[in-house]
Amino acid sequence: MSMVDSERTSIDPERKANHLCVLVHGLWGNPDHLEYLAKSLREKHSDHKLNILVAKSNSGSYTYDGIETGGERVTQEIEELLQELIREGAPIEKLSIVGYSLGGLVARYAIGLLYSKGWFEKIKPINFTTFATPHLGVRTPLRGYHSHLWNAFGSRTLSASGRQLFTIDTFRDTNRPILSVLADPNSIFVRALSLFKNRNLYANIINDRSAPYYTTAIASTDPFVDIDAVDIRPLKSYSPTILDPDHPVSPKTAKEPLQPFYTRLTSTGQDLLTRIPLYTALVALIPIATVAWTINSGIQSFRSNKRIQLHEQGKGLDSYRIPLLMNGSSARSAVSGAFRRVNSAHGQDYLPESQDEEDDSDGVAAPEDLSKLELKRTSSRKADFPTLALSDEQFEMIRNLDRAGFRKYLVHIKNHRHTHAAIIVRMQKPGFDEGKVVVRHWLDEAFEL
């Protein structure tokens, strides 16, 4: 039996631990992906001090079923354990929750449900942490046909989760995507998030092909597009993997001298020659892989829709179908959502320079009646880097989530290109050792018992 299996199946009433930490995996994931996190957490804190629950109800293709369905399943798991511990005389007094990738969004939904059901009146929320979570979705800032194709194709191959991650869904009666509702300051989700004593996120700065930097770091710029053009400032004791959260990056002040033309031409030619076998293989494999992916996605989407229907018919769900927005803001959100959808049009990677050159807001929250341009300007700190051409909804998410107060830790993994998996050591591989530094930082600096 693995570490993860033992943590999620055994409840020892003699533990008397009053703190529960819940771990939630990501898309196509399973509890084994979080084994290193769970094992490291247990080595740091004994079972007399901390209970660990690795959520299992969304394993594998069940992650196709959407954030709402996944969040309800995880909430049900948490509630069942909380009630079981109460019956055994070991009630939980403190709660922490950790989400990896899509699991971070599922966790944000789950805490809203727990909040609405009154659990946070009895239990103190302590730590909320996400690793490589696409808080703004995965819609690519548009430039060229390839981005349009990706946004159109990707959003339709992952059932409900795909529509939600690409923000083309309409959630319940809000006329807005679920990610927009999750970030609404009047929602139960942000109210719940604000109650956590510590709110931290970890974001890869390069090579995260599943969840790019801008969405995992909740940012309107990406300084790391050209990593050689910036000075990176690592955090002492965790160098070079964790960057200084207060001053992570700055543009290089002195440009490196340009190499002679012949040297540059030779280098480019050699690089091209080494990549010819890769390009040849891609030309042959991409059509086959695309067809196979499309067929499998169609099958999984069909099964996902059936599961969602069965889930909707399940008993006990009425307690989760509660008002999501507070203070009578539901009608306002539906109307404003309709206008945002009508006005949303994108055709470039970055906004024109004239739109962000006057930004001097330094992260100050914008009043509700600001124009779209002013909202974009106030969505992040004064930019030394061009502002990405995100959607209006994404800019608003940035503003609202920044106001919620995440402490952002940027991660520079250099020894493996699959940084999305390496950041939590999703499997034991030598190339994932930098992820162990990330986990050590989280346990030593960000997780409070």
Side-chain angles (χ1 to χ4, degrees):
M1 182 179 291
S2 72
M3 167 71 186
V4 168
D5 288 333
S6 65
E7 289 293 355
R8 60 194 170 95
T9 58
S10 63
I11 300 173
D12 181 359
E14 298 302 319
R15 288 191 226 173
K16 301 300 182 184
N18 66 353
H19 191 163
L20 172 65
C21 182
V22 182
L23 307 181
V24 188
H25 65 72
L27 190 64
W28 301 305
N30 60 71
D32 288 339
H33 286 179
L34 304 174
E35 184 165 5
Y36 185 80
L37 279 183
K39 181 179 178 181
S40 301
L41 196 57
R42 174 56 70 230
E43 289 175 352
K44 181 78 172 180
H45 303 292
S46 73
D47 58 4
H48 295 287
K49 296 181 177 180
L50 184 71
N51 284 315
I52 301 173
L53 170 66
V54 183
K56 62 181 180 179
S57 56
N58 289 315
S59 297
S61 60
Y62 277 55
T63 54
Y64 276 75
D65 300 349
I67 295 166
E68 175 188 20
T69 303
E72 290 175 350
R73 289 175 182 151
V74 169
T75 304
Q76 193 167 33
E77 281 191 78
I78 295 172
E79 287 195 294
E80 288 175 354
L81 179 56
L82 291 175
Q83 291 161 354
E84 186 169 352
L85 289 171
I86 289 172
R87 289 193 298 269
E88 295 183 355
I92 293 299
E93 299 174 4
K94 296 184 285 186
L95 176 70
S96 295
I97 189 161
V98 180
Y100 164 60
S101 192
L102 177 68
L105 301 175
V106 171
R108 283 173 53 198
Y109 195 95
I111 63 172
L113 297 183
L114 292 172
Y115 166 82
S116 71
K117 297 192 70 176
W119 281 106
F120 290 170
E121 297 172 9
K122 299 171 277 189
I123 297 175
K124 185 176 182 180
I126 304 296
N127 308 292
F128 187 90
T129 307
T130 64
F131 291 92
T133 287
H135 292 282
L136 310 180
V138 295
R139 172 195 170 278
T140 302
L142 296 178
R143 185 181 64 184
Y145 71 92
H146 57 285
S147 293
H148 285 277
L149 286 175
W150 166 244
N151 288 335
F153 179 73
S155 63
R156 289 163 175 81
T157 56
L158 296 173
S159 189
S161 294
R163 293 190 296 273
Q164 292 170 355
L165 287 171
F166 283 86
T167 62
I168 65 168
D169 64 303
T170 299
F171 184 54
R172 294 199 194 169
D173 59 352
T174 65
N175 202 30
R176 298 160 61 186
I178 189 172
L179 293 186
S180 176
V181 176
L182 278 175
D184 191 312
N186 291 313
S187 71
I188 58 174
F189 312 110
V190 173
R191 296 290 178 92
L193 184 63
S194 67
L195 293 178
F196 280 82
K197 185 175 181 180
N198 306 300
R199 297 172 296 275
N200 301 292
L201 67 78
Y202 290 81
N204 287 309
I205 64 172
I206 57 172
N207 294 331
D208 195 326
R209 296 181 292 274
S210 300
Y213 165 80
Y214 80 90
T215 185
T216 57
I218 313 177
S220 61
T221 64
D222 187 349
F224 307 102
V225 171
D226 184 358
I227 199 76
D228 295 325
V230 295
D231 286 320
I232 293 174
R233 301 168 184 171
L235 190 62
K236 290 181 180 179
S237 302
Y238 303 95
S239 177
T241 307
I242 304 291
L243 306 192
D244 183 339
D246 298 314
H247 305 285
V249 64
S250 62
K252 282 186 176 177
T253 54
K255 294 184 178 180
E256 296 181 0
L258 191 64
Q259 293 180 325
F261 174 76
Y262 177 77
T263 302
R264 286 182 282 133
L265 181 63
T266 304
S267 175
T268 302
Q270 290 175 344
D271 185 55
L272 182 61
L273 287 174
T274 59
R275 295 188 179 189
I276 285 178
L278 173 62
Y279 292 151
T280 303
L282 288 176
V283 168
L285 293 176
I286 284 179
I288 299 173
T290 300
V291 172
W293 167 264
T294 303
I295 293 173
N296 180 66
S297 295
I299 294 171
Q300 295 299 338
S301 294
F302 175 79
R303 292 175 177 173
S304 173
N305 289 332
K306 289 293 185 182
R307 284 195 303 269
I308 293 171
Q309 291 175 11
L310 291 173
H311 179 80
E312 295 289 331
Q313 297 167 7
K315 296 180 180 179
L317 282 182
D318 290 344
S319 63
Y320 296 149
R321 298 306 160 88
I322 39 82
L324 305 176
L325 299 171
M326 307 175 74
N327 298 331
S329 60
S330 181
R332 289 199 309 273
S333 72
V335 174
S336 63
F339 277 106
R340 275 193 294 269
R341 286 178 177 278
V342 170
N343 292 325
S344 183
H346 319 283
Q348 56 194 28
D349 257 343
Y350 302 100
L351 296 177
E353 290 184 6
S354 60
Q355 291 192 4
D356 48 38
E357 64 184 4
E358 297 179 6
D359 180 1
D360 58 1
S361 62
D362 197 32
V364 177
E368 293 300 323
D369 58 351
L370 283 182
S371 68
K372 288 189 296 181
L373 175 55
E374 289 170 318
L375 178 60
K376 293 169 184 176
R377 288 178 176 174
T378 56
S379 63
S380 63
R381 294 183 180 275
K382 184 175 180 178
D384 290 315
F385 307 95
T387 302
L388 294 166
L390 305 176
S391 70
D392 296 330
E393 283 159 342
Q394 287 174 313
F395 280 113
E396 189 172 16
M397 286 183 233
I398 293 172
R399 184 195 68 175
N400 291 337
L401 292 174
D402 277 349
R403 291 175 69 179
F406 274 98
R407 181 71 163 162
K408 302 178 182 182
Y409 294 104
L410 308 188
V411 177
H412 188 196
I413 292 175
K414 299 183 288 186
N415 296 332
H416 203 285
R417 293 190 63 81
H418 193 3
T419 61
H420 191 73
I423 194 171
I424 62 158
V425 194
R426 206 166 74 187
M427 61 194 77
Q428 290 294 338
K429 295 179 67 172
F432 285 4
D433 285 348
E434 290 164 298
K436 295 179 180 179
V437 178
V438 178
V439 175
R440 177 166 62 87
H441 177 274
W442 169 58
L443 291 174
D444 291 348
E445 308 292 341
F447 187 88
E448 179 180 334
L449 187 62

